[in-house]
Amino acid sequence: MELSKVKKILIVDDDIDLLEQNKILLESKGFTVITAENSTEGWKKFQDEKPDAAIVDLIMEESDSGFVLCYKIKKTEHGKNIPVFILTSATYTTGFKFSASTPEEKEWIKCDGILNKPVVIEELLAKIENFH
Amino acid sequence: MNNKPKILIIDDEKGLRIGTQRLLEEEGYDVTAVETGEEGIRIGTRNDFDIAVIDLKMPDYDGLEVLQKIKTNRPLTVCFIATAFASYETAIQSTRLGAFGYIPKPFTPDEFLYQIEQGIKQRKLILESEKLKKEREENLLELASEKSRLNAIIKSISDGVLVINKNGELAYYNYAALKFLDLSDIKIGDKILPLLNEKIVQIVEKIFSSETILLKSYTTQIELKPDNELIVEAAATPIPHPDGTLAGVVIVLSNITEFKKIELIKSQFVSMVAHELKAPLAAVQGYLNLLTDEKINLPEEKRKDYLNRSLIRLKSLSDLVNDLLDISRMELKTKFREIEDVDIRDIIKNLIQFFEIDIKKRGLNLEINIAENLPTIKADQNEISRLITNLLSNAIKYNKDNGKIIIDISSSTNYLEIKITDTGIGLKPEEKSKLFNEFFRAKNEKTRGISGTGLGLSIVKKIVDSYYGKIDVVSEFGKGTTFIINLPINI
């Protein structure tokens, strides 16, 4: 997906500070940002707002809330066509190694990429551009 | 103690009896002389004589019969047959019956003394060899009992032990090994390798195939039952012959299931800790990045807000570190505990003063009901204080503005009951079950913006548990929560 086609980004994170920071960062790059503080709210905003991309924190109400939300988003017609990323620090801190770089991993993880915290905006933009 | 050699003379001939007795006594022997065969048997079997000189022909007994009786009962007594009717047959017969010598009568004193001296030498040899024999027997006995003791020990230890000889045959086992490996039908001598877990065979083969014997164990961990139900560590060690060649392999199987479970819990805890520590750091780092990013133009109000948020997150980080240290001390039990009579009223009084400002800020109404004649409890003042602090601070934090906090303290026969009720946000049923889990924090629209480490109640529970107390929680979402703590009065 071309960067220019992405106007509206949904960020779901239960850490209100990170939510605020990422909102400011993305807004500074000209995106419209909608936020949600938990996966229930995130799911609702996704359906209502039909964002052009979504970034979902992994550990929220449960340690896999992000996976569950991604799965739900990717099952929808709209979700299939937009990049959805999981945002986490888990890859570093838990020793639990995962990524979404191979088709097999994308198949079970149901997301289009993993973003490590804190978000490096250039990395995010590159990932959106590489979305197929 | 009389160390003189003891000699028994049995002779019916009075002159000879008295003569030899006197002769021997002059030579320093301890002599008993008897007249009849019957008396000779009686005395000779009852006492341990070094030497017995038995006359062959006596009116009541045949000397050979006396000899036989004495030898049967006292095999170590050196016996001589003395006779004037020496014959080849009686000599043979008396030797067969155990006589050491044959003294033909009449004899000269020198001849007699010479025979006695020979007898004494013989007696010494007999005693010496008897002593050695006894020692050997004792050693063997000890060995035998040592072996059975070892056997009993190995059979009863909870670790499994299997010994395999170099032909791959089972040489020894204990029941724990059979249980671990599910080998009920195996017996000594059976070829065992095909029946063993592949990983065990691999470490055994490593030893068999090695050219030199290194006294080194190979270990492997095996999940014998799925889902971490039974995990054992198998250690295979070579057993060398005295000449250095390989005799076999001993395999010890230890149940490490519990250890593995703890390891897993520990690593999950460490992951959680790392994650929880990283969250405030990432937040502060993020704000600082925003504040220092020249391309992002932030209004002054926002800048102040972000700095304040950073301070709040750093405070929560330092609280978290302190809570973690407390938990770690509690777990390691390195925290010095000073058990004394604790009056809960004093603790409540002090804490109310401490929280006064917070309570006022929120406009909370505090009600304290303390029963009369409240007993003291044996406890560590700091721990009980920490327990009440955490509960009270929650009751303030998770209350609604102008709400109420009720503290009820009462006692029953065995317990002191502390009830802390708030009229705050309450818990959803699904949150209640996770309440005491480390790092659990109810996350909903009402808890947004309330800081906490997620360890406060976990610490409360640990303290209560350490006093064998009880903790209950009654809560309704949107209405409020009551924590009920029961602490034993006499621990």
Side-chain angles (χ1 to χ4, degrees):
Chain A
M1 181 176 274
E2 282 172 46
L3 201 51
S4 56
K5 287 184 184 161
V6 178
K7 301 271 190 294
K8 190 159 64 176
I9 299 180
L10 168 68
I11 316 175
V12 188
D13 196 327
D14 65 345
D15 189 318
I16 49 169
D17 291 318
L18 292 177
L19 203 58
E20 168 89 10
Q21 291 162 12
N22 289 328
K23 183 174 187 288
I24 299 275
L25 272 175
L26 289 171
E27 282 174 348
S28 78
K29 295 286 171 189
F31 297 103
T32 303
V33 177
I34 42 173
T35 58
E37 285 175 34
N38 57 54
S39 57
T40 318
E41 195 191 334
W43 174 233
K44 192 171 179 305
K45 290 220 169 149
F46 168 77
Q47 290 169 301
D48 293 348
E49 305 267 351
K50 300 270 188 297
D52 304 312
I55 301 167
V56 178
D57 182 32
L58 173 60
I59 304 174
M60 291 186 283
E61 301 96 315
E62 305 286 341
S63 56
D64 61 349
S65 294
F67 280 145
V68 176
L69 179 58
C70 264
Y71 182 79
K72 277 162 86 175
I73 291 175
K74 277 290 169 190
K75 288 265 269 192
T76 65
E77 270 314 304
H78 178 67
K80 276 178 196 155
N81 300 317
I82 64 160
V84 181
F85 302 113
I86 281 186
L87 179 61
T88 182
S89 53
T91 46
Y92 291 132
T93 55
T94 58
F96 172 44
K97 286 256 168 28
F98 62 80
S99 64
S101 48
T102 65
E104 292 78 30
E105 279 171 340
K106 279 184 187 160
E107 180 56 32
W108 74 265
I109 290 181
K110 297 292 176 205
C111 79
D112 303 300
I114 307 284
L115 289 171
N116 289 310
K117 283 184 181 179
V119 176
V120 178
I121 198 84
E122 289 71 22
E123 185 192 340
L124 171 66
L125 300 179
K127 283 204 161 143
I128 291 174
E129 275 198 287
N130 286 334
F131 175 72
H132 296 295
Chain B
M1 212 172 109
N2 184 7
N3 286 326
K4 290 176 179 175
K6 282 157 65 181
I7 298 177
L8 175 64
I9 311 267
I10 309 165
D11 205 318
D12 59 333
E13 208 177 309
K14 194 180 174 190
L16 194 79
R17 195 169 67 237
I18 292 168
T20 48
Q21 181 172 14
R22 193 175 301 144
L23 173 71
L24 291 171
E25 278 173 350
E26 274 171 16
E27 291 295 321
Y29 295 107
D30 175 6
V31 185
T32 306
V34 298
E35 194 181 341
T36 62
E38 190 191 344
E39 210 178 340
I41 291 169
R42 191 170 55 82
I43 292 180
T45 55
R46 201 174 289 170
N47 304 292
D48 187 35
F49 284 98
D50 292 297
I51 287 174
V53 183
I54 307 159
D55 184 22
L56 188 63
K57 294 263 182 243
M58 284 176 290
D60 60 338
Y61 270 100
D62 186 279
L64 291 178
E65 207 175 326
V66 177
L67 168 71
Q68 194 178 14
K69 289 251 160 67
I70 290 177
K71 272 311 232 191
T72 310
N73 288 286
R74 296 281 167 186
L76 307 186
T77 298
V78 174
C79 296
F80 288 94
I81 293 291
T83 180
F85 310 96
S87 75
Y88 183 68
E89 285 76 23
T90 48
I92 288 191
Q93 206 183 348
S94 53
T95 311
R96 194 178 295 147
L97 288 172
F100 173 63
Y102 203 75
I103 311 174
K105 288 180 186 175
F107 43 73
T108 65
D110 283 347
E111 279 167 0
F112 184 65
L113 282 177
Y114 174 77
Q115 291 288 355
I116 293 297
E117 275 163 24
Q118 293 306 110
I120 294 291
K121 277 184 195 161
Q122 177 63 16
R123 165 76 176 179
K124 275 185 185 157
L125 284 174
I126 290 172
L127 289 182
E128 187 67 23
S129 85
E130 194 59 25
K131 194 178 144 206
L132 287 173
K133 193 174 144 200
K134 213 171 167 191
E135 267 179 17
R136 218 169 39 235
E137 270 173 7
E138 269 171 7
N139 282 340
L140 279 174
L141 271 177
E142 220 166 72
L143 258 179
S145 77
E146 187 69 22
K147 204 172 153 190
S148 68
R149 193 156 52 206
L150 263 178
N151 239 327
I153 292 168
I154 295 172
K155 290 266 187 237
S156 61
I157 55 175
S158 57
D159 281 0
V161 179
L162 274 189
V163 177
I164 299 172
N165 68 18
K166 62 179 174 190
N167 302 321
E169 292 154 347
L170 180 65
Y172 187 83
Y173 64 85
N174 71 356
Y175 292 111
L178 298 192
K179 195 179 138 205
F180 283 146
L181 300 172
D182 209 8
L183 294 170
S184 47
D185 283 336
I186 192 103
K187 55 184 189 300
I188 302 287
D190 283 358
K191 290 271 182 199
I192 182 143
L193 291 180
L195 304 173
L196 293 179
N197 179 289
E198 200 183 317
K199 283 172 119 180
I200 299 181
V201 176
Q202 275 172 10
I203 55 171
V204 171
E205 295 286 359
K206 258 189 195 172
I207 294 172
F208 281 155
S209 61
S210 131
E211 281 177 16
T212 50
I213 298 188
L214 298 168
L215 279 178
K216 166 184 162 187
S217 301
Y218 292 97
T219 58
T220 183
Q221 293 183 358
I222 314 151
E223 194 183 56
L224 290 176
K225 286 186 191 163
D227 301 326
N228 294 338
E229 205 188 313
L230 178 61
I231 305 168
V232 298
E233 180 169 271
T237 314
I239 310 168
H241 277 304
D243 67 3
T245 58
L246 184 71
V249 174
V250 57
I251 300 164
V252 177
L253 303 156
S254 317
N255 187 346
I256 55 163
T257 313
E258 285 310 305
F259 175 75
K260 285 300 237 190
K261 275 185 191 161
I262 291 167
E263 206 176 55
L264 184 70
I265 292 167
K266 206 175 96 192
S267 82
Q268 281 170 343
F269 181 74
V270 169
S271 300
M272 285 298 283
V273 168
H275 188 263
E276 294 298 318
L277 289 174
K278 211 181 161 190
L281 277 179
V284 173
Q285 199 184 354
Y287 279 131
L288 292 178
N289 282 339
L290 283 183
L291 290 166
T292 53
D293 192 335
E294 284 168 5
K295 281 174 268 171
I296 295 172
N297 203 4
L298 287 169
E300 189 53 31
E301 206 181 310
K302 280 270 175 205
R303 298 179 74 88
K304 266 190 193 158
D305 183 33
Y306 291 168
L307 283 172
N308 276 331
R309 286 297 307 163
S310 298
L311 285 174
I312 290 169
R313 295 302 294 259
L314 284 177
K315 163 83 169 52
S316 84
L317 180 63
S318 107
D319 287 348
L320 181 59
V321 171
N322 285 334
D323 281 357
L324 281 170
L325 287 174
D326 265 3
I327 284 186
S328 141
R329 279 190 215 111
M330 266 183 245
E331 303 267 305
L332 289 170
K333 303 206 185 332
T334 52
K335 204 170 170 184
F336 180 66
R337 220 180 206 186
E338 206 174 317
I339 302 292
E340 55 188 330
D341 285 325
V342 172
D343 191 335
I344 194 85
R345 285 168 294 198
D346 295 341
I347 292 182
I348 301 276
K349 212 168 90 189
N350 290 336
L351 288 177
I352 297 298
Q353 281 175 353
F354 180 75
F355 281 115
E356 208 176 359
I357 296 169
D358 293 318
I359 292 171
K360 262 191 191 153
K361 247 192 223 166
R362 304 285 313 274
L364 299 173
N365 178 8
L366 183 66
E367 182 187 318
I368 304 173
N369 309 308
I370 295 179
E372 278 176 34
N373 303 323
L374 207 65
T376 56
I377 53 167
K378 294 253 183 247
D380 181 297
Q381 179 99 19
N382 290 329
E383 286 180 356
I384 303 303
S385 192
R386 178 69 191 261
L387 187 155
I388 309 282
T389 303
N390 286 7
L391 291 177
L392 205 53
S393 125
N394 276 359
I396 296 166
K397 274 199 291 193
Y398 296 100
N399 219 318
K400 59 184 175 215
D401 287 340
N402 307 314
K404 205 170 172 186
I405 295 173
I406 308 162
I407 301 174
D408 291 294
I409 315 274
S410 60
S411 67
S412 61
T413 317
N414 294 311
Y415 289 96
L416 182 81
E417 188 176 85
I418 305 160
K419 260 165 96 172
I420 299 185
T421 304
D422 66 60
T423 53
I425 57 183
L427 292 158
K428 294 178 179 174
E430 68 269 22
E431 292 168 342
K432 222 175 102 175
S433 61
K434 298 180 196 162
L435 200 58
F436 298 105
N437 290 357
E438 273 129 7
F439 302 116
F440 173 77
R441 297 195 62 223
K443 279 178 182 166
N444 54 55
E445 59 280 10
K446 293 184 177 177
T447 59
R448 184 181 194 270
I450 300 174
S451 71
T453 62
L455 291 173
L457 286 177
S458 165
I459 290 172
V460 166
K461 179 140 189 348
K462 278 189 172 36
I463 294 174
V464 172
D465 286 347
S466 75
Y467 287 99
Y468 307 105
K470 293 181 283 190
I471 184 163
D472 282 309
V473 55
V474 180
S475 185
E476 198 179 331
F477 186 62
K479 292 267 174 72
T481 305
T482 302
F483 284 95
I484 305 152
I485 311 277
N486 276 275
L487 291 173
I489 294 168
N490 301 305
I491 296 176

